[in-house]
Amino acid sequence: MIRSVFCALATMVTIIHAPAHADDTPEWRIVIHGGAGVILRENLSVEREAAYTAALETSLKAGGDVLASGGSAVDAVQAAVLTMEDDPLFNAGRGAVMTAARIHELDASIMDGRDRNAGAVAGVTRVRNPILAARAVMDQSEHVMFAGPGADNFAETAGLEMVDNSYFTTERRSQALDRVLREQTRTDADRHGTVGAVAIDRQGNIAAATTTGGMTAKAAGRVGDSPIIGAATYAQNGVCAVSATGHGEYFIRVGVAKTICSRVELAGETIVAAAENALGQVETLGGDGGVIVMGGEGQYAFVFNSAGMYRGMMDASGTLETAIFAAE
């Protein structure tokens, strides 16, 4: 049995922006994450840090372009995570981690805050972009989630691009799998890597999307929180939108995304207080990770109890910000 090595959890880190007045509400805004975990400056070369920063900016601009042209929040979050699925730096799509059986099983979900319509896929192995498969489930079926071969078949029927499973493989992920299988120990980095986005558009609609390759050397058929509506992804107009990243088993048990939005809606908490409560529950159980949260008026927060989180924000004012380490 593979053991997990848990690093000491970091103090809760919260980075927020909340409009003080109604006229501070952004015309549009998109917020993204590329995974949370033990991300330390001393472990990231200057070149690799620059590559991650550039990739985060590419994602923000893809989503921002949709919003700037009057597009919907749900189209924007899809566009933002699509670039990360195509970038082997991230654990989503091409460059995703491998299962113990040396294949890739990918998960994704998307939710539209206008009517709480949602779509998800779990354990897909052949669809090039799992987020597009999740969107197809939302738009083209009566269901919310498809899993395994049925999800791949649905994506193919929907006309999405299909690839051989080897398309997702990179040398970096292959070496990581070899190490975990050899040492029978899974580090923090092997348990993390989800990417996601939340956004608010010009009409005040919000949306969320999350996509991942899962956990290195995971057992065949294992599903984490990323494709589960209410665990990693949730969006409800006027309340909040959430995308989560972290040790999925704990996020499922807490129902992190829905917990946050319910505390905002029913208890009247701020998005920050609600997120800190939910992640506090995750930490109590033994997990770590982070969330990005978009409030109903466009306020946003990055909240994480890990040592870092790849993250960024772009809005209609022209502001574009990215960060990686906890102290930034």
Side-chain angles (χ1 to χ4, degrees):
M1 179 180 293
I2 296 173
R3 296 177 293 111
S4 288
V5 176
F6 289 83
C7 298
L9 297 180
T11 301
M12 193 80 70
V13 178
T14 305
I15 302 163
I16 65 170
H17 174 95
H21 306 287
D23 55 6
D24 291 331
T25 300
E27 184 180 9
W28 57 261
R29 172 174 283 144
I30 185 161
V31 178
I32 63 169
H33 70 80
V38 179
I39 306 167
L40 303 175
R41 190 179 297 276
E42 57 265 31
N43 296 335
L44 203 63
S45 69
V46 173
E47 294 77 14
R48 198 159 189 82
E49 180 181 347
Y52 272 110
T53 298
L56 292 171
E57 290 178 353
T58 296
S59 172
L60 288 168
K61 289 174 182 175
D65 285 347
V66 171
L67 296 169
S69 64
S72 68
V74 71
D75 285 342
V77 295
Q78 174 181 294
V81 300
L82 196 61
T83 70
M84 291 189 278
E85 284 188 342
D86 287 339
D87 192 324
L89 283 173
F90 300 102
N91 177 17
R94 183 168 179 262
V97 301
M98 306 180 76
T99 71
R102 294 190 175 277
I103 66 169
H104 303 270
E105 295 181 355
L106 313 176
D107 307 325
S109 60
I110 192 166
M111 189 166 187
D112 189 337
R114 290 175 292 193
D115 54 5
R116 285 187 275 182
N117 198 11
V121 292
V124 294
T125 61
R126 299 187 297 116
V127 58
R128 172 174 172 166
N129 291 110
I131 195 60
L132 296 183
R135 180 66 183 274
V137 172
M138 182 174 77
D139 290 346
Q140 301 180 38
S141 83
E142 62 179 322
H143 307 299
V144 170
M145 179 185 286
F146 282 91
D152 277 315
N153 293 339
F154 175 83
E156 188 168 21
T157 300
L160 299 184
E161 182 177 356
M162 310 302 288
V163 294
D164 186 83
N165 193 255
S166 62
Y167 162 81
F168 304 108
T169 305
T170 62
E171 184 62 26
R172 172 191 175 199
R173 300 305 190 186
S174 181
Q175 290 177 357
L177 176 64
D178 289 341
R179 172 180 48 76
V180 172
L181 294 178
R182 180 177 65 252
E183 299 176 359
Q184 290 295 292
T185 300
R186 188 183 286 117
T187 67
D188 177 88
D190 298 316
R191 294 183 288 105
H192 294 278
T194 304
V195 307
V198 294
I200 186 167
D201 60 30
R202 287 178 174 175
Q203 288 70 47
N205 301 310
I206 58 178
T210 310
T211 176
T212 190
M215 181 185 293
T216 302
K218 65 183 180 181
R222 178 264 186 184
V223 177
D225 63 318
S226 296
I228 299 178
I229 301 302
T233 303
Y234 201 78
Q236 182 178 349
N237 270 17
V239 180
C240 74
V242 178
S243 176
T245 173
H247 195 158
E249 280 70 12
Y250 298 96
F251 281 68
I252 293 170
R253 289 160 64 185
V254 174
V256 166
K258 185 61 168 72
T259 291
I260 292 171
C261 289
S262 290
R263 294 184 74 91
V264 171
E265 180 185 22
L266 303 176
E269 292 184 356
T270 66
I271 59 172
V272 171
E276 289 179 343
N277 179 282
L279 286 182
Q281 293 182 54
V282 168
E283 184 171 353
T284 297
L285 294 177
D288 66 335
V291 294
I292 53 174
V293 189
M294 179 75 70
E297 300 300 321
Q299 65 272 43
Y300 71 95
F302 302 102
V303 183
F304 50 100
N305 62 3
S306 53
M309 181 165 71
Y310 300 106
R311 58 196 187 274
M313 185 281 294
M314 183 177 181
D315 63 24
S317 72
T319 301
L320 189 157
E321 301 172 343
T322 63
I324 298 174
F325 310 108
E328 295 179 311

